[in-house]
Amino acid sequence: MFEVFTCIVVDHSPLFLVGAVSVCVFGSLLAMRLFGRVRNTRGITRASWILLTSVIAGASIWTTHFVAMMGYKTQFIAGYEPTATLLSLVLAIGVTGIGLTIAAITQRSALVEAGGVLIGLGIAAMHYVGMSGYQVQGHIESDPRYVAASLVFGAFFGAVATSRVARPVTRFCRYGGGVALILAIATTHFIGMTGVTLVPDPMAAMPGNMLPESVMTVVLMLVTVMILSIGSMTYVIDRQTSKSALERYRHLSLHDALTGLPNRTAFLERVGHMMEDRGTANARLFILSFDLDRFKEINDVHGHAAGDQVLRALGERLKAQLRDGEFVARIGGDEFVAVSSRLFTHAEAEKKARRIINDLCAPIEWEGLTLSVGTSIGIAVHPDGADTVDDLLAQADTAMYRAKSTGSNNICFYDASMDLAARERSALAMDMRQGIQRGEFELYFQRQNDTQSGAVVGFEVLLRWNHPTRGMVSPVEFIPIAERTGFIMELGDWVLRQSCLEAVKWRNPLRIAVNVAPRQLSNVAFPERVRFILAETGLSADRLELEITESGIIGDQQNALTIIRQLKTIGVKIAMDDYGTGYSSLSTLQLFPFDKIKIDRAFIDNVANNRQSAAIVRSTLILAQSLDIPVLAEGVEREDHLRFLQDEGCAQVQGYLYGKPVPLTQLQDLVNPPETETEMEADDRTMAA
């Protein structure tokens, strides 16, 4: 170690040493950042990034070596043989490119480190080929021990460099890869140079075509400036392009594609911020909830094109009357919410609501037809009642339904006497616990199909409640209640166990997809419970797919990631459900090891005739393909939906086009097809034995 330190401090000029270190640090950090881009691309784009990265890394390695050599102190006249010098540059770029290619092939195998080892050995090869072109009046002797040590250190730090980029454990790993490459270059050079001995030979003749150090200085400066400038500009341009694309994608994800209004996710986020903001915490926040009367009739009679035109026209009218501190969101098919922090009295809020009603009720001209809708508005006020966004919206909805009950185009403010719905929810909560004991819950199955062939590839398991007095209760009603009361743990456990019990009996071993509630996913005992149910029922783990939503992981990402990794260890598949409804989905995909992405039905509905919906779906498919994650599109109800998804390369589809959710009794021809003659003979032999 002391000999190496002496070589660095004593045998090298400080000025050239600083220059070599500067090139090495800047080039290595840039090269490993570019390598991160390589791993996130595919096809010709990946090949282009590998070429650029290998040129940057190879040129940095080569330049670092020769700048350091320019400062190597010797009593001899020194120069550089052109062929070996140029060959060392080609070798540095070529071997680095091969190593990067190998390291980028896979996401998780040891090839990542193998590629790094090759890069480290390429650094050593460049060094010793370059040294063969170093000409002095004498000859060069190298200590084999230092040569071997330089190879080992170069290979080790090269493997660390690619590993830190490919397998990050903290946000600092992207810098750790660059630091490791710096160490690979530095240790290879200085350990190698420590073992060098220059033996003088006055009789030795210097080659006639030798490049003097002055020429090499100019060459090195030009190569360094040109290569690093090109790499830096390319990286900056790509970062800016990616940032713009991400901002555009986030905008699309937070806004309704048809009307351009904020969607439900944006509404929840913005109102949450408004409620927490100091400037409005003590002020009044008015929530106006409304939907459209007679809108369904317009869709049924005149078609979806007419309905879309109505929504677009009303969206423009609503946006036109907005002021600072106000916004309008479309949170459902024909459901809207207006939010205002500029109002102070109920009278002002009522005037605002009346203007909305007048705007919405004005006729709409479309292809020679005059279309009109009506509405009623419910108003809730913060901080008079609810403390959360969900409760505030529920109060506004309750007031809206009260307004509707008295006729169209009415306005109603929420008050506590309207909260019959809360009592209904309490009654349902008690009935649920008894219902699971009385066998009132039933599993329904909706088929999932291959997009190209139409073949059934699996089923999503859905829960239905046949209440003895209420009839069929929608999951939209009882699932939120189960989540609030904590009963979702018992209910989810029952669904998972019953699903496995049913699927294990099928002759056709199709996969089943079971939804997992956020509270289930946050339970540290959940993976062990899944393992127990699989062992108890005998269902193979690779036939079970667990669907989770972003809301289930966003609260405590580290805990969710730990649980998902444990589930993956068991062998079950993990799918991200309702993708596209949250703006953080991109970062979520990078962090979590999903086996499938399910695009939310809201984006599929207008995908064939709406450019924004098509853009979101197309972007999702491109992103998923780059990450090698298959995509399933929900809500496929028409042939034009299917054609679009086939053209864009979506792997699987699910929707009414292939079948509604039905009891298992209606799917026996799919899950238990008639046995072939060969299978029956095999069964007979088994029974005889």
Side-chain angles (χ1 to χ4, degrees), residues 233-250:
M233 288 187 293
T234 304
Y235 181 73
V236 169
I237 292 171
D238 180 69
R239 281 291 302 270
Q240 187 61 41
T241 303
S242 299
K243 182 180 178 181
S244 299
L246 179 60
E247 290 174 352
R248 175 63 176 163
Y249 187 86
R250 286 182 173 178

Side-chain angles (χ1 to χ4, degrees), residues 487-558:
F487 183 64
I488 194 68
M489 299 293 290
E490 183 178 344
L491 190 61
D493 192 81
W494 182 87
V495 170
L496 181 60
R497 185 174 182 276
Q498 290 301 122
S499 300
C500 294
L501 283 172
E502 294 288 358
V504 78
K505 304 174 191 174
W506 301 345
R507 283 196 293 271
N508 190 1
L510 295 169
R511 182 177 294 167
I512 56 170
V514 180
N515 289 278
V516 176
R519 185 171 292 193
Q520 286 180 279
L521 191 64
S522 65
N523 185 2
V524 294
F526 181 62
E528 193 56 40
R529 183 58 184 163
V530 172
R531 189 192 303 274
F532 175 79
I533 289 175
L534 289 172
E536 179 190 29
T537 60
L539 183 71
S540 174
D542 60 3
R543 290 183 59 195
L544 177 62
E545 181 176 275
L546 299 178
E547 296 186 1
I548 63 176
T549 60
E550 197 168 356
S551 61
I553 59 181
I554 203 68
D556 187 350
Q557 289 195 354
Q558 191 57 50

Side-chain angles (χ1 to χ4, degrees), residues 66-191:
F66 281 99
V67 170
M69 289 303 301
M70 300 280 286
Y72 186 61
K73 297 177 181 178
T74 175
Q75 303 300 320
F76 305 97
I77 298 173
Y80 302 89
E81 195 277 317
T83 302
T85 301
L86 181 60
L87 179 61
S88 66
L89 174 60
V90 174
L91 194 64
I93 295 174
V95 176
T96 299
I98 296 171
L100 292 173
T101 302
I102 293 173
I105 287 175
T106 179
Q107 295 288 332
R108 298 180 177 87
S109 79
L111 287 176
V112 171
E113 285 75 18
V117 168
L118 186 58
I119 292 172
L121 295 177
I123 295 171
M126 186 287 308
H127 174 86
Y128 291 107
V129 171
M131 287 300 297
S132 71
Y134 183 62
Q135 301 295 320
V136 295
Q137 196 168 15
H139 61 273
I140 302 172
E141 295 180 354
S142 296
D143 188 330
R145 296 173 301 167
Y146 286 99
V147 172
S150 68
L151 293 173
V152 171
F153 275 91
F156 171 75
F157 284 118
V160 173
T162 53
S163 177
R164 288 309 80 206
V165 175
R167 311 180 204 275
V169 292
T170 72
R171 67 178 184 275
F172 299 110
C173 283
R174 57 182 179 178
Y175 304 110
V179 171
L181 184 59
I182 293 169
L183 292 174
I185 298 171
T187 54
T188 300
H189 178 83
F190 290 113
I191 292 176

Side-chain angles (χ1 to χ4, degrees), residues 20-39:
V21 170
S22 300
V23 172
C24 183
V25 170
F26 185 74
S28 297
L29 292 175
L30 178 59
M32 297 317 291
R33 294 301 294 270
L34 293 175
F35 178 56
R37 286 284 192 272
V38 170
R39 292 184 54 80

